[in-house]
Amino acid sequence: MPKPEILDPQGQAVAGALSRLGIAGVHDVRQGKHFELDVADDLDDDTLHRIAGDLLANPVIEDWVVTRVARDGVSS
Amino acid sequence: MRIGVVTFPGSLDDRDAARAVRRAGAEAVPLWHADHDLAGVDAVVVPGGFSYGDYLRAGAIASIAPIMREVVDSVARGMPVLGICNGFQILCEAGLLPGALVRNAGLHFVCRDQRLRVESASTAWTCDLTEGEELLVPLKSGEGRYVADAATLERLAGDGRIVFRYLDQNPNGAQADIAGISSADGRVVGLMPHPEHAIDPLTGPSADGLALFTSVLRAAASVA
């Protein structure tokens, strides 16, 4: 996700579209990215965080979280 | 002097960059993204375009291309590097310059002749220019908004590392009107506008951009 202090014009455009649809109550929209990696069960969390921090996200402008989810969609 | 011009899949401006290098009086050496050596060049230009389709983020994948590992190593030894547009994005992603370039504030791709002010003439790529001088060069980018945290911006301004600022209207919402910055030693410079498209009044809005390429020749001569 773009860091809170980074202007997100794409999110603002979505917020504008929502108000044009007549939807009230949405104060702000931030647009980010979501990656799904199919990994071996024994791939450790440190490696996943390195993948996220070194390549998938740019820490200068983006915050990121890693969530490990089982194939059936249950978090572990 | 031999100046390398890197071509990635999706580079667009490598040919104009090579032409600018030749016009300045140097030999242009083509470098390929998958190469593992710099062919003994004295300086490198990382040109504009959409390297690897700009997938992931602009410049992100190019920043870890084999040729960029070599560029990063050579920068540590003081080799001058100029990043233009996508090249600037690549240098930021590679950690050679601080900050990042993100989507233009207005979301529109901006393509126009842009006036710039030279803020620093003490870099390897601007020593043929004068501080306060104004240049007219094309700007063509959708992700040209320079951002950095407050401490970085303060450091860049305090150390004289803001090299170019946009004049007239800020085209993309860049912080502090920043169009280009340099490394601490002034050997690495990145800018969003395209000096390589402004080396000849026949094909560009001016010949103002040529001075960046002649500068590095002078910088190299003064070191040697």
Side-chain angles (χ1 to χ4, degrees):
Chain A
M1 289 297 296
K3 286 178 187 261
E5 66 270 26
I6 299 284
L7 173 73
D8 177 15
Q10 296 181 99
Q12 288 177 344
V14 174
L18 288 173
S19 74
R20 283 194 298 281
L21 282 175
I23 295 169
V26 178
H27 301 302
D28 190 25
V29 177
R30 307 284 291 169
Q31 179 174 327
K33 290 194 189 109
H34 174 89
F35 297 87
E36 293 185 355
L37 281 69
D38 186 352
V39 303
D41 289 343
D42 60 357
L43 191 75
D44 59 84
D45 285 356
D46 282 353
T47 305
L48 291 178
H49 280 90
R50 209 171 73 231
I51 290 169
D54 288 357
L55 181 65
L56 302 184
N58 178 347
V60 174
I61 47 171
E62 294 167 322
D63 293 325
W64 44 270
V65 290
V66 174
T67 309
R68 198 184 276 270
V69 180
R71 281 262 171 129
D72 57 9
V74 179
S75 278
S76 61
Chain B
M1 183 173 189
R2 302 172 74 240
I3 301 180
V5 178
V6 181
T7 299
F8 300 95
S11 291
L12 297 176
D13 304 321
D14 42 341
R15 297 215 166 218
D16 269 19
R19 179 168 170 260
V21 163
R22 287 192 298 272
R23 183 67 61 95
E27 180 189 347
V29 179
L31 299 173
W32 182 237
H33 71 111
D35 287 350
H36 288 271
D37 78 275
L38 295 179
V41 296
D42 306 298
V44 166
V45 177
V46 185
F50 297 87
S51 54
Y52 300 93
D54 274 350
Y55 295 151
L56 188 57
R57 289 179 308 279
I61 296 177
S63 75
I64 54 169
I67 197 75
M68 286 307 298
R69 306 274 166 125
E70 303 302 323
V71 170
V72 170
D73 286 351
S74 297
V75 163
R77 296 192 293 272
M79 189 183 69
V81 176
L82 177 67
I84 303 167
C85 193
N86 194 221
F88 185 15
Q89 295 162 340
I90 293 167
L91 297 185
C92 287
E93 283 281 345
L96 293 176
L97 292 172
L101 293 138
V102 296
R103 194 77 183 266
N104 290 351
L107 289 176
H108 289 286
F109 190 96
V110 172
C111 182
R112 68 170 184 229
D113 295 335
Q114 174 71 44
R115 284 204 317 140
L116 306 175
R117 186 173 57 235
V118 178
E119 301 284 352
S120 168
S122 51
T123 79
W125 298 93
T126 56
C127 57
D128 265 354
L129 293 162
T130 311
E131 275 162 39
E133 192 176 345
E134 294 179 9
L135 312 181
L136 182 68
V137 299
L139 174 75
K140 46 176 185 122
S141 44
E143 296 182 52
R145 175 164 54 102
Y146 182 78
V147 296
D149 59 42
T152 302
L153 288 173
E154 200 172 315
R155 198 173 70 240
L156 288 174
D159 296 348
R161 291 171 56 189
I162 297 172
V163 182
F164 298 103
R165 275 200 168 93
Y166 298 115
L167 284 173
D168 311 319
Q169 189 193 351
N170 183 329
N172 49 32
Q175 288 180 326
D177 297 331
I178 289 174
I181 58 169
S182 78
S183 58
D185 65 1
R187 309 292 283 175
V188 180
V189 169
L191 76 166
M192 285 312 297
H194 288 266
E196 83 283 17
H197 293 332
I199 60 158
D200 182 341
L202 180 68
T203 53
S206 72
D208 295 348
L210 188 61
L212 278 83
F213 300 91
T214 56
S215 289
V216 74
L217 270 72
R218 200 148 73 87
S222 63
V223 168

